[in-house]
Amino acid sequence: MGISEGRVVIVTGAGAGIGREHALEFARQGARVVVNDVDSPRQVVEEIEGMGGDALADTHDVSEPDGAQALVDGAVNHFGALHAVVNNAGILRDRMVVNMDPAEWDAVIKVHLRGTFLVTRSAAAYWRARDKAGTPIPDPRVVNTSSPSGLFGNVGQSNYGAAKAGIASFTVITADELSRLGVGVNAIAPTALTDMTAGLTAYVDKVRKDSEEAGFDVGSPANIAPLAVWLASPDSAGITGRVLTIKGGEIAVAETWVKGPRAVKQGRWEVAELGGIIPDLVARARDNSTISGESRG
């Protein structure tokens, strides 16, 4: 028996890449999987069925309220319950901010951030209704997908990074809001090579170099799935509101914004005073991190 035996799990954006690996690993661990993808979920469903698993293909657009609700309703109607959601669906529209069309900004924010919100909202409403009816779902879980681009920044990805940073904050807040229902809410920030990253030459080259040094494929999407599956399981009880980075064989807890060096006075600061205060505070503060999570200094 696997860690997900008897559980019903939705994975969005599961037709390829990281989402596909999530769906396959959930099936290996005993889950019945709803494979959501607007393009090609059927092939993954067939792979799961070929393994002896049980899966349902779903093509609803999770960035639309009706689509997100239909996804959740479909899982419950087909399998009789819903235990966990992995919000993985996403797109890229990389562009420097001075050249970015508003439509490129809106498209990325809509799929990543709005889609995560809508599916989580529908799933949480289902879990709350079951709780009120006296038939609570055991160990409900949400696993969101942030990114090092959102946590640490990456040139050319202001839309994608903003969406992924928003998902990290959304994770922290909804973990608090849904704790009374026993819902664990966490996020992963994965590094992997997929069709979405094919055009990011410097990023791809860095991951391939890391793979040579590590002696295994650091960029394989399959590296990410075990963490997502574990976080969506009952074994993750007590861990909520966290964002974890994962790259190859490395897992780390991404620590949230904290107050660094500070200056305090009684009363309001005057503009003329700040030139003697802010540079010193910044000089004593920890450097921002690179996309690899290392100091820029």
Side-chain angles (χ1 to χ4, degrees):
M1 292 180 64
I3 197 172
S4 302
E5 192 71 33
R7 290 171 69 79
V8 177
V9 181
I10 288 172
V11 182
T12 70
I18 292 174
R20 171 182 173 272
E21 297 296 340
H22 288 342
L24 294 175
E25 187 60 31
F26 273 113
R28 293 187 192 101
Q29 294 296 326
R32 291 167 288 173
V33 186
V34 181
V35 181
N36 166 263
D37 197 284
V38 293
D39 292 325
S40 54
R42 188 61 216 170
Q43 182 176 347
V44 179
V45 168
E46 291 174 356
E47 289 184 73
I48 290 173
E49 292 174 342
M51 296 161 46
D54 196 357
L56 174 69
D58 182 278
T59 58
H60 287 101
D61 181 354
V62 297
S63 69
E64 294 293 342
D66 290 347
Q69 188 62 54
L71 170 61
V72 170
D73 290 344
V76 174
N77 292 337
H78 187 80
F79 289 122
L82 174 63
H83 299 85
V85 166
V86 180
N87 289 305
N88 172 75
I91 61 172
L92 289 180
R93 297 290 186 271
D94 290 353
R95 195 88 62 191
M96 300 297 276
V97 69
V98 296
N99 297 319
M100 186 176 295
D101 188 279
E104 294 171 322
W105 175 275
D106 291 343
V108 170
I109 297 296
K110 182 179 181 183
V111 175
H112 288 275
L113 188 53
R114 189 177 195 229
T116 295
F117 154 66
L118 289 172
V119 175
T120 301
R121 182 184 68 161
S122 292
Y126 164 72
W127 292 325
R128 183 176 62 177
R130 287 289 302 261
D131 192 69
K132 287 184 175 180
T135 56
I137 291 293
D139 303 300
R141 299 285 185 268
V142 175
V143 181
N144 296 322
T145 308
S146 183
S147 168
S149 292
L151 302 179
F152 310 123
N154 195 32
V155 172
Q157 293 193 313
S158 60
N159 51 1
Y160 178 76
K164 291 304 193 181
I167 288 171
S169 292
F170 177 81
T171 297
V172 173
I173 294 166
T174 54
D176 287 340
E177 292 182 353
L178 299 179
S179 61
R180 65 184 181 83
L181 298 176
V183 182
V185 185
N186 294 286
I188 59 173
T191 295
L193 299 184
T194 67
D195 291 344
M196 282 180 60
T197 63
L200 306 177
T201 304
Y203 178 82
V204 171
D205 290 347
K206 176 66 165 62
V207 174
R208 286 176 176 167
K209 181 180 178 181
D210 291 342
S211 296
E212 293 176 3
E213 295 175 353
F216 80 107
D217 187 0
V218 170
S220 172
N223 299 333
I224 313 302
L227 178 58
V229 171
W230 187 85
L231 288 172
S233 77
D235 283 16
S236 67
I239 297 176
T240 191
R242 290 292 188 173
V243 180
L244 294 97
T245 65
I246 176 167
K247 176 184 178 182
E250 178 195 88
I251 296 173
V253 177
E255 297 177 340
T256 58
W257 290 95
V258 296
K259 288 185 179 180
R262 68 195 72 184
V264 180
K265 66 172 286 187
Q266 295 298 318
R268 181 185 302 136
W269 288 99
E270 298 293 337
V271 172
E273 296 177 291
L274 297 181
I277 297 296
I278 303 304
D280 175 66
L281 292 180
V282 172
R284 291 190 285 119
R286 186 183 63 185
D287 289 328
N288 286 340
S289 297
T290 67
I291 192 171
S292 299
E294 300 163 350
S295 173
R296 291 182 187 271

